[in-house]
């Protein structure tokens, strides 16, 4: 029978636990409110710091007014905006208006950073809190008795003890160092409506915003007013479109079917993301494919567009390739970090359990698993993609590319069911492709989901008709049908007919054409033929 612990032992461990908890809380709070995180927000390098003033404060720098809004509770956050690559103040305010059209992703990003700082501080506080407990246990009873005797002797000299304690406090405080009075402390926070004047109506969502500035010229006020106006109009337009999308008449999937939403050429139009999601929900989609050009330059300041894409579709199965405007590695790597399945020239499991293959557009710098081969032309990448598809042990059901011309050879050789992409900003297809052995495949080009004219989608509504495509897969993951959905610039929806895809299956492998060369991973494939691909949109 195990003896019960003595009352003194219980008391000792209770006191040790109390010491650990007290130190953990005090140190954790001190570390939390002294911590910060660097990220990219609203197209700026930004430093996020927690505070206790119950506000989210956006410190915009020496020229533009600071902005703040009240939040429930006492915990707030300060965001100091740093450098940006905007070429002008006008361009900067266009970005602000664009981001404000769908700010949830930026809000979620800040919330995640605050939670991350809180967890990190709590862990460090717990580690520091364990130090006095470990010291107590390591010293042992005899050494603790000796130290207690020393403290008793120090207590007999109260002036010495008080002096040592005071010296320790002063050394840590160092009151002889102090900050000079900051200029912005002389500025007052005023409501945004008062700052802009009666001529500019402020949306209800922005009624709680306050700004702080000293002397702001008429030009800056005009830009702020323009951004507010763009925000208000965009909120009305996209909210109405998302609400209307929930009522459109689209085909509902059968019990054993899977629906994937195809988006392409968003070009930073985050406002359309909630409309696209509403369409996906209406159609019962459980997956999303992005065919690239989610940004206009591929630069880190456009992370807000990728954050919005993630925020809108994070609970769905997701696959992505980069387009020709997604220059560099940033876009693909960022989506990869967010949990998207980035297609890099290798066969992956796709919607409905089928097989999917894709690669970034070669007119951007990302060439997937073929990165070690620099300077590959459009035709060479198309050939490698076809080789990989035809060499696959299982038939490729979906080829996801930015420009379907990149998948033309794979379809002509009868190695895939459906190739989907964007790039042209106008719809094209479905075009049937019959291989020499009778295998049938299809190509489909989605219009611009962002409603972009060229590579620009900035504004209070799409600049041209915006489009998504619903792809239905059967129980085996084979594409069974397509249906496009388009929202016009006047907010009206057009829904295309559901077009079934039928295939002629053969059991014989396609013959290897004369002049074939070895594949990257073995096997053979024909050399590319056909005209030079057209330049990017």
């Amino acid at each position: 029978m195990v003896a019960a612990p003595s009352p003194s032992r219980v008391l000792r461990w209770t006191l040790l636990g109390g010491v650990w908890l007290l130190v953990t809380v005090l140190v954790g709070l001190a570390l939390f409110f002294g911590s910060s995180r660097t990220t990219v927000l609203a197209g700026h390098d930004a430093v996020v710091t927690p505070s206790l003033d119950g506000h989210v404060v956006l410190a915009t720098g020496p020229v533009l007014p600071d902005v703040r809004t009240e939040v429930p509770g006492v915990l707030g956050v300060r965001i100091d905006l740093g450098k940006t690559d905007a070429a002008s103040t006008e361009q900067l305010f266009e970005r602000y208006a664009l981001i404000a059209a769908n700010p949830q992703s930026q809000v979620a990003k800040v919330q995640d950073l605050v939670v991350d700082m809180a967890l990190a501080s709590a862990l460090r506080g717990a580690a520091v809190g364990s130090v006095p407990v470990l010291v107590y246990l390591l010293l042992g009873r005899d050494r603790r008795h000796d130290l207690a005797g020393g403290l008793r002797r120090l207590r007999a000299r109260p002036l010495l003890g008080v002096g040592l304690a005071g010296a320790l406090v002063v050394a840590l405080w160092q009151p002889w160092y102090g900050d000079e009075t900051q200029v912005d402390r002389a500025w007052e926070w005023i409501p945004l409506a008062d700052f802009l004047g009666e001529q500019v109506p402020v949306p209800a969502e922005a009624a709680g915003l306050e700004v702080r500035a000293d002397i702001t010229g008429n030009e800056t006020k005009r830009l702020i007013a323009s951004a507010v106006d763009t925000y208000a109009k965009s909120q009305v337009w996209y909210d109405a479109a998302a609400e209307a999308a929930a009522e459109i008449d689209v085909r509902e999937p059968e019990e054993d079917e899977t629906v994937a939403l195809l988006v392409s050429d968003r070009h930073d139009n985050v406002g359309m993301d909630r409309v696209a999601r509403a369409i996906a929900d209406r159609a019962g989609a459980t997956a999303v494919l992005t065919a690239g050009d989610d940004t206009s330059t591929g630069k880190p300041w456009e992370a807000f567009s990728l954050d919005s894409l993630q925020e809108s579709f994070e609970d769905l199965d997701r696959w992505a390739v980069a387009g020709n405007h997604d220059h560099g590695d940033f876009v693909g790597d960022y989506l990869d970090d967010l949990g998207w399945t980035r297609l890099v020239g290798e066969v992956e499991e796709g919607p409905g359990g089928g097989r999917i293959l894709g690669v970034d557009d070669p007119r951007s710098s990302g060439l997937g698993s073929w990165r070690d081969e620099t300077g590959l032309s459009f035709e060479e990448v198309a050939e490698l993609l076809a080789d990989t598809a035809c060499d696959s042990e299982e038939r490729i059901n979906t080829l996801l590319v930015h420009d379907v011309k990149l998948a033309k050879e794979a379809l002509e050789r009868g190695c895939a069911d459906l190739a989907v992409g964007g790039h042209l900003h106008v719809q094209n297809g479905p075009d049937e492709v019959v291989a020499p052995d009778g295998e049938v495949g299809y190509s489909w080009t989605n219009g611009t989901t962002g409603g972009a004219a060229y590579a620009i989608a900035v504004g209070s509504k799409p600049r041209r008709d915006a489009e998504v495509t619903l792809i239905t897969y059967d129980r085996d993951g084979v594409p069974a049908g397509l249906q496009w959905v388009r929202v016009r610039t006047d907010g009206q929806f057009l829904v295309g007919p559901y077009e079934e895809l039928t295939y002629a299956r053969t059991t014989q492998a396609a013959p290897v054409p004369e002049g074939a060369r070895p594949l990257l991973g073995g096997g053979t494939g024909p050399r590319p033929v056909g005209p030079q691909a057209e330049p990017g949109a």
Side-chain angles (χ1 to χ4, degrees), residues 276-298:
R277 180 57 199 254
I279 296 171
D281 290 341
R282 176 63 174 169
T286 57
V288 61
L289 311 173
T290 176
D293 276 5
D294 288 302
T295 68
S296 293
T297 64

Side-chain angles (χ1 to χ4, degrees), residues 102 105 108 112 266 273 277 288 303-316 318 334-341:
N102 193 24
S105 63
D112 290 343
R266 292 170 56 253
D273 288 342
R277 180 57 199 254
V288 61
F304 78 91
S305 179
L306 308 178
D307 291 332
S308 176
L309 190 68
Q310 169 72 2
E311 179 76 11
S312 298
F313 298 107
E314 63 180 339
D315 58 331
L316 304 186
R318 294 155 288 153
Y334 198 87
L335 289 174
D336 192 21
D337 292 340
L338 290 176
W340 289 67
T341 300

Side-chain angles (χ1 to χ4, degrees), residues 351-354 397-398 417 472-481 501 503 505:
N397 305 117
T398 306
D417 293 326
T472 299
Y473 293 85
D474 67 17
R475 68 178 66 187
D476 299 317
V478 177
L501 306 178
Y503 305 90
R505 292 286 183 244

